[in-house]
Amino acid sequence: MPFDANERYQLKLGGATGGTFTLGDGDLVETSALDHDAGAAVIASALNTAYTLTGVTVVPDIGNAWVIEFPVGEEADLQIMTNGLTGTTSTPSCALITERYEGDGYVTSWTVSGATEDAVGLSISVQGNGELKLNA
C-alpha cells in the first residue's frame, strides 16, 4: 500500500436479516461469532481481540456496509471466515480498499499544523514524480 497507509476493507453483509458471521485472516486469526446486525463498536472490539491489537476502527459506509481500518503496518488479510447469514439479497463480501495514485511520489513527512472545531490543518511533504491523489 502506498505511503505507509492503513489497510482498509469494505465489509458488505448482503442485506442479511439474521444469522451470524466471523471475520479473520483465513488462517489462525478469527473473531467470535458476530450477529448480522452487530454495530461498529462490537465489530471493532472483536477484531481488536482476535488480532491482539488496539487500533482497529469500524465506521459505517454507504449501502449498509462498513469500512474497517487496521493500524499502519498491520497486514490483516481480512475476509469473512464463516457465513451463517440469512435473508441476504446479495453475496456478503469483505474487500481491500485500494487507493489510486499515479507516479512514484511518497510522503517524506507530515505534521498537524492546527485544529479548530471543524477542521484540522495538515502539512504534507511529498517527494518524487507524478501526482499524489488523495481520496481518489
Side-chain angles (χ1 to χ4, degrees), residues 40-127:
V42 171
I43 296 170
S45 177
L47 288 167
N48 278 309
T49 299
Y51 281 87
T52 61
L53 297 171
T54 57
V56 177
T57 59
V58 179
V59 295
D61 197 17
I62 58 172
N64 295 320
W66 299 101
V67 171
I68 300 169
E69 188 167 343
F70 285 80
V72 170
E74 295 297 329
E75 293 185 24
D77 298 322
L78 190 64
Q79 55 193 277
I80 296 173
M81 298 282 288
T82 60
N83 178 1
L85 297 169
T86 59
T88 57
T89 55
S90 61
T91 304
S93 65
C94 186
L96 181 65
I97 299 171
T98 57
E99 302 294 335
R100 294 181 332 121
Y101 74 100
E102 298 174 13
D104 64 358
Y106 59 94
V107 174
T108 58
S109 66
W110 63 274
T111 57
V112 176
S113 57
T116 67
E117 187 174 312
D118 300 317
V120 174
L122 186 64
S123 298
I124 301 174
S125 297
V126 179
Q127 184 174 342

